[in-house]
Amino acid sequence: MRFLLTGGAGYIGSHTCVCLLNAGHDVVVLDNFVNSCPEAIRRVEQITGRKVALYEGDCCDESIVNHVLDREQIDAAVHFAGLKAVGESVSIPLNYYENNLGATITLCKALAKHHVKRIVFSSSATVYGDSKIVPMREDLPLGECTNPYGWTKWMSERILRDTAYADKDWSVVLLRYFNPVGAHESGLIGEDPTGIPNNLMPFICQTAAGVRPMLNIFGNDYDTPDGTCIRDYIHVMDLASGHLKALEYACEHKGTEIFNLGTGEGCSVRQMVEAFERANHLTLPHQYAPRRPGDIAQSFADPAKAQAVLGWQATHTIEDMCRDAWNWQSHNPHGYRTENPAE
Ligand code: NAD
Ligand code: UD1
């Protein structure tokens, strides 16, 4: 089959490209490179020995999305395109609502026009808000998001559900990711954050690389066994294979389905630091710091539904995630850029 991946040059998109191509599917990518670069797709082609049909353009631009769909016969879309920096979304909320909701609406309209009413959407565990109930199941009531980024996921879910409710030909699969980390085992593709990373794993990697002097562990007084926050980290290649299963499902069913993509295992920040040191035989400078505003004590998935319905289960361990993240970082200290852009 042939799939359109909006935002397919990004972190999760590029790994999903590899997984889909290796499974024998064709991939069309539409990306405006606002947070990625074409080099990621070149490396996807290097890993898989397959070609990707790459279009540079904005998913909010109806004429561009229609142009891609006029030229490419696709069976379903995976909608990764979106802005994802939580802090930035608080500073420039209108850009986040315009981009993330605009892209979702424009894509759906263009897909409907081309009679391709199948979409897999990148949602987030953030829609559960500060749920006191863990593990989180898909039928938990949605929570209050703590930032505009989270609300764009919440609202996009609503938009997609309403679309499938109004037109019974639609198949909508909402994937709620927990905390994606790691990289393809080749070390050729991985997460390439711009500026100072907010998320734990890229910060750990940059600290290990000496780019940052010290990791701050935000809070050691939470109501958890070691006092640090608990999250459900999932290897990006497991996440990628979840998209393959979700696409197969979307091509065979109609209506809306929601799946958590997580391991179901909680890991504390301290455990993550220890696992990283163990997996990579190094010492990570770290210290405890005050809590980060907006953080919740624990978040981890109940992934039983994805296993029962999609036949999907995460297989990588925390050590795998740490090893592969460091393999990518140590071989690409400046991400996809060369150290000296003049080189
Ligand atoms: P990413 O920033 O690496 O990838 C997103 C891609 O979308 C980038 O390549 C970017 O250039 C592109 N893009 C953004 N706006 C666009 C537009 N209007 N038109 C075309 N392309 C556009 O992020 P990621 O980590 O790969 O995340 C992919 C999706 O998953 C995002 O929607 C994100 O919100 C969601 N998500 C990510 C995480 C995470 O921790 N990485 C967690 C939950 C959900
Ligand atoms: C954050 C976002 C979430 C988004 C997700 C993407 C918030 C409140 N939530 O989730 O919306 O979907 O990223 O992956 O921003 N930590 C440290 N030191 C650091 C960085 C992080 O101790 O330098 C801790 C955090 O306090 C947290 C854990 O590590 O307890 C994970 O943090 P992070 O990777 O940012 O993910 P989330 O906060 O779960």
Side-chain angles (χ1 to χ4, degrees), residues 11-12 31-32 34-36 58-59 80 84 99 149 153 180:
Y11 171 47
I12 302 169
D31 203 303
N32 63 0
V34 69
N35 196 37
S36 58
D58 191 330
C59 193
F80 294 107
K84 64 160 185 176
N99 188 70
Y149 163 74
K153 292 297 170 194

Side-chain angles (χ1 to χ4, degrees), residues 26-159:
D26 294 321
V27 165
V28 179
V29 166
L30 171 64
D31 203 303
N32 63 0
F33 304 122
V34 69
N35 196 37
S36 58
C37 56
E39 175 64 13
I41 297 297
R42 200 193 61 72
R43 295 197 186 181
V44 165
E45 293 179 336
Q46 185 184 343
I47 293 167
T48 59
R50 302 272 317 277
K51 289 300 283 179
V52 172
L54 177 60
Y55 292 83
E56 179 170 359
D58 191 330
C59 193
C60 299
D61 185 332
E62 212 170 325
S63 63
I64 288 170
V65 185
N66 280 322
H67 168 75
V68 174
L69 293 174
D70 285 344
R71 290 189 50 164
E72 307 283 350
Q73 287 285 328
I74 67 149
D75 296 286
V78 190
H79 183 35
F80 294 107
L83 300 173
K84 64 160 185 176
V86 170
E88 187 183 64
S89 80
V90 177
S91 318
I92 47 168
L94 295 181
N95 296 36
Y96 271 68
Y97 287 116
E98 184 177 42
N99 188 70
N100 292 3
L101 301 183
T104 301
I105 294 167
T106 304
L107 177 63
C108 285
K109 285 168 86 175
L111 287 172
K113 190 173 166 189
H114 290 81
H115 310 288
V116 185
K117 297 180 180 177
R118 294 175 185 142
I119 187 167
V120 173
F121 176 65
S122 299
S123 189
S124 165
T126 197
V127 300
Y128 293 119
D130 186 5
S131 170
K132 300 289 179 249
I133 302 169
V134 281
M136 290 150 165
R137 255 174 51 161
E138 291 85 349
D139 55 4
L140 264 183
L142 295 191
E144 287 286 309
C145 297
T146 49
N147 54 75
Y149 163 74
W151 285 115
T152 68
K153 292 297 170 194
W154 195 104
M155 290 179 197
S156 286
E157 283 201 3
R158 188 74 253 169
I159 289 166

Side-chain angles (χ1 to χ4, degrees), residues 66-336:
N66 280 322
H67 168 75
V68 174
L69 293 174
D70 285 344
R71 290 189 50 164
E72 307 283 350
Q73 287 285 328
I74 67 149
D75 296 286
V78 190
H79 183 35
F80 294 107
L83 300 173
K84 64 160 185 176
V86 170
E88 187 183 64
S89 80
V90 177
S91 318
I92 47 168
L94 295 181
N95 296 36
Y96 271 68
Y97 287 116
E98 184 177 42
N99 188 70
N100 292 3
L101 301 183
T104 301
I105 294 167
T106 304
L107 177 63
C108 285
K109 285 168 86 175
L111 287 172
K113 190 173 166 189
H114 290 81
H115 310 288
V116 185
K117 297 180 180 177
R118 294 175 185 142
I119 187 167
V120 173
F121 176 65
S122 299
S123 189
S124 165
T126 197
V127 300
Y128 293 119
D130 186 5
S131 170
K132 300 289 179 249
I133 302 169
V134 281
M136 290 150 165
R137 255 174 51 161
E138 291 85 349
D139 55 4
L140 264 183
L142 295 191
E144 287 286 309
C145 297
T146 49
N147 54 75
Y149 163 74
W151 285 115
T152 68
K153 292 297 170 194
W154 195 104
M155 290 179 197
S156 286
E157 283 201 3
R158 188 74 253 169
I159 289 166
L160 290 164
R161 290 170 72 111
D162 287 347
T163 302
Y165 180 80
D167 179 348
K168 306 295 181 212
D169 280 341
W170 272 94
S171 175
V172 167
V173 179
L174 306 174
L175 297 180
R176 292 181 182 156
Y177 310 157
F178 278 70
N179 289 61
V181 294
H184 186 261
E185 60 180 9
S186 65
L188 284 169
I189 55 172
E191 189 169 12
D192 184 16
T194 42
I196 302 172
N198 289 310
N199 296 121
L200 180 63
M201 186 59 99
F203 207 101
I204 286 179
C205 286
Q206 291 195 4
T207 306
V211 178
R212 315 268 158 219
M214 178 83 73
L215 169 75
N216 284 315
I217 296 182
F218 298 138
N220 62 345
D221 56 351
Y222 284 98
D223 185 16
T224 60
D226 66 20
T228 66
C229 288
I230 290 176
R231 296 288 182 273
D232 185 340
Y233 299 95
I234 174 169
H235 196 291
V236 67
M237 289 309 294
D238 280 331
L239 201 66
S241 70
H243 290 77
L244 172 61
K245 296 284 188 184
L247 281 164
E248 287 167 355
Y249 182 88
C251 290
E252 285 163 16
H253 298 82
K254 290 182 192 234
T256 302
E257 278 300 340
I258 306 173
F259 298 102
N260 286 335
L261 293 184
T263 63
E265 301 283 332
C267 173
S268 75
V269 180
R270 218 174 96 181
Q271 287 172 321
M272 180 59 102
V273 169
E274 288 164 5
F276 192 90
E277 293 183 326
R278 223 173 22 247
N280 297 311
H281 313 290
L282 45 75
T283 306
L284 198 71
H286 61 275
Q287 64 187 8
Y288 291 110
R291 290 181 177 197
R292 183 174 69 175
D295 273 345
I296 59 175
Q298 29 181 355
S299 156
F300 56 97
D302 180 340
K305 185 178 172 192
Q307 187 178 358
V309 180
L310 301 178
W312 172 89
Q313 201 178 5
T315 60
H316 292 79
T317 64
I318 288 283
E319 276 75 16
D320 296 336
M321 302 176 207
C322 292
R323 187 199 56 233
D324 291 340
W326 179 237
N327 185 39
W328 152 254
Q329 171 75 43
S330 52
H331 288 97
N332 305 269
H334 305 279
Y336 291 110

